[in-house]
Structures are given as structure tokens and as C-alpha cells.
Amino acid sequence: MTTATAITTPNQFVESNGRRIAYRSIGTGKPIVLCTRFRGNMDVWDPAFLDALAARGFQVITFDYSGLGLSTGEKDYSPVALAKDARDLIEALDLKSVVISGWSLGGLAAQVVVAMFPERLSHVVLIGTSPPGPNVKPAEQLFYDTAGKPVNSFEDEIILFFEPRSQASREAARRSADRIAQRTENRSVPVPADWAASVLGDKPKSPLFPADPILQALKATTLPILHVAGDHDIIFPVENWYALNQELPTVQLLTYPRAGHGPHHEHPEATAEHIATFVRSTS
């Protein structure tokens, strides 16, 4: 029997609260549910990162938010709505002791899951996202100018997710893009660019993510939390997490040098190994 990989695993669907949620699953073991980024669907994840997680004993689950990709229902980019998608998928699949994870916008959703629906969670892994509350370092205008384009070129993706000033990061961007392109059948549907741009806006704002009650939940939770970042994230600067040192008792911070908003795509194996070690060594 051939083991499914991130490239070959089929699309699956569950019905929950009047809509159909599309998801993919690879690997067996402890479930990790990944909430995707802005303008993301199941196909924006680097297969090397997903396969590396599966190889380390995780059941890796990606999904499309309501009304986007292959999922039905009303589309809504508010973190609360996205968190409800994750909660409903976890309940529909009857998952327990779940690692809730999210990249960028998905990281905001994952934090709402911690605050509102923590019952089935064991750990939290956040990637390139923002903590709640005012920012000590704002996002860069360059992100808004680039992310709002109807179509992003490869150079745009380097700007958005990698470190353009680093040749090593540029080379990693090419390898990641080539891996993502390997899935050619049964792909998800792109997020409508005009709708996404209208939600994003055209300039930085603070706070990007309202503080209460999410910040209070992070201060009170006993769930171990790992945040993975690059040292030059143009939308969610990692400095905003370091500003909360000694306020968030369970948060660990992993920061890659000369990396951007997609550190797990630049360092897929290393990030998967860090996540596995984090989950194995904390409770």
C-alpha cells in the first residue's frame, strides 16, 4: 500500500453546521490542524513541511475556510469565523489532544481557538503571526502594496514570504515554489483576489488583532505555545512577540535569521523537527 504524501493525498469533506469543509490528511499519530494564511488554501503549504511533520509522528490536517477553496458556506476572514471552521473540523473528525497551528492570518485564528475552544487542544504552534494588542513595530507598507495585487509573481512571493536581501533565502524560495507546484491534480480553488484585497485594506493598522479577550487567554492558558518566525517578517514583525516577554508564561519563540514571513517554507525539515521536539518535550 502506497502511503499518501502532501502531493498525492486526496481531498476529503465533512458536513458541519450547514456547510461542507474540505480537508486533506496525511500521516498517523498526534493530530496537528493547520489554519492557512491570507489568500491561502490547501495548496499553499509546502509539501516538504507537511511531509516532514507526518514523518515525525503527526496526523497532518490542512483545510479550506468556509466559502473559500473547496469549502462551501459564507466566506469571512474574521479570526473568530476562521476559528469556528477549525473547531467544527476538529469536532467533525472527533480529534482529541490536538495541536492547533496557524500561519499568518491562520495564526490569529489559532489564538482564538485557544481562547474560545481549548477543550480538545494539547499544544499551540503559531507561524509568522501577530500577538493580540498594539504593535511595538508596525507592518511594512510593502506588504500591503504586494499582497493586494490580483496576481503575485514569483518575485512578489519572495518579498511576501522570504528575505529578498539574502541569496540563500531566494534560493530556498525557488525550491519551495517548485515543490508546491508538484501537485497538479485535484487542486483547491484560489481565493478571490478582489474580495481578499478589500478585507486587507491598503495600509498598516494597529492593533492588527484586538487584545481582549485573546491576550488575557494567552496570559492565563496552561497550553504550551510555540511561535516560529523569521527575523524580517514584513507583515507580522517578530519584535511584537518579544515585547510580551514575561507576560505570556507558556510561549516559546523560535526565530530564524535572514528569513521572512514563511520560515517553515525556507526551513521545512528544521521547523518540523523543532515542532516535534516542542510537542514531545512540553505538556
Side-chain angles (χ1 to χ4, degrees):
M1 181 178 177
T2 302
T3 302
T5 68
I7 294 171
T8 63
T9 193
N11 299 323
Q12 301 185 68
F13 303 90
V14 294
E15 299 288 334
S16 179
N17 289 323
R19 87 307 204 179
R20 183 182 69 173
I21 301 175
Y23 74 97
R24 295 176 187 154
S25 177
I26 61 170
T28 58
K30 187 173 183 63
I32 180 168
V33 174
L34 299 167
C35 304
T36 194
R37 62 167 171 81
F38 174 75
R39 288 181 70 171
N41 59 22
M42 293 184 289
D43 289 314
V44 303
W45 295 98
D46 190 322
F49 172 62
L50 303 183
D51 289 340
L53 286 172
R56 287 161 173 81
F58 290 100
Q59 178 189 3
V60 184
I61 298 169
T62 57
F63 68 100
D64 286 338
Y65 298 127
S66 290
L68 300 173
L70 299 175
S71 293
T72 63
E74 295 296 322
K75 56 184 180 289
D76 185 343
Y77 257 167
S78 71
V80 171
L82 305 183
K84 289 178 180 177
D85 285 343
R87 184 273 313 271
D88 287 353
L89 178 63
I90 289 168
E91 291 186 350
L93 298 178
D94 196 24
L95 303 175
K96 298 178 175 65
S97 189
V98 173
V99 180
I100 188 67
S101 182
W103 174 20
S104 189
L105 175 65
L108 307 186
Q111 292 173 66
V112 176
V113 176
V114 173
M116 296 179 64
F117 316 115
E119 295 81 11
R120 293 177 181 246
L121 305 183
S122 70
H123 295 77
V124 186
V125 175
L126 308 173
I127 303 172
T129 194
S130 174
N135 308 130
V136 298
K137 183 175 182 179
E140 297 179 25
Q141 184 62 43
L142 179 60
F143 176 86
Y144 291 83
D145 295 342
T146 308
K149 292 181 180 179
V151 178
N152 286 132
S153 66
F154 175 61
E155 187 64 28
D156 289 338
E157 298 206 350
I158 293 175
I159 291 169
L160 291 170
F161 306 121
F162 295 84
E163 174 48 89
R165 297 174 294 185
S166 164
Q167 185 59 33
S169 188
R170 284 179 165 274
E171 292 169 358
R174 170 48 64 193
R175 292 192 296 271
S176 181
D178 289 346
R179 291 189 296 262
I180 291 171
Q182 288 177 9
R183 186 178 180 111
T184 58
E185 298 181 353
N186 300 312
R187 291 179 62 87
S188 188
V189 178
V191 171
D194 55 349
W195 173 79
S198 70
V199 176
L200 176 67
D202 59 3
K203 60 185 178 181
K205 46 189 173 289
S206 180
L208 287 163
F209 191 28
D212 289 323
I214 310 304
L215 183 57
Q216 296 310 313
L218 296 189
K219 289 181 177 180
T221 187
T222 58
L223 292 171
I225 302 172
L226 172 67
H227 182 264
V228 183
D231 64 354
H232 183 204
D233 188 323
I234 65 173
I235 177 61
F236 293 137
V238 69
E239 288 86 346
N240 293 313
W241 284 98
Y242 284 102
L244 292 172
N245 278 353
Q246 300 186 20
E247 292 190 50
L248 306 180
T250 69
V251 172
Q252 299 182 25
L253 303 178
L254 169 64
T255 305
Y256 286 103
R258 297 174 299 283
H261 188 49
H264 54 311
H265 287 198
E266 183 161 352
H267 304 284
E269 288 280 344
T271 302
E273 181 65 25
H274 279 295
I275 292 170
T277 300
F278 163 73
V279 171
R280 187 171 58 246
S281 62
T282 58
S283 62

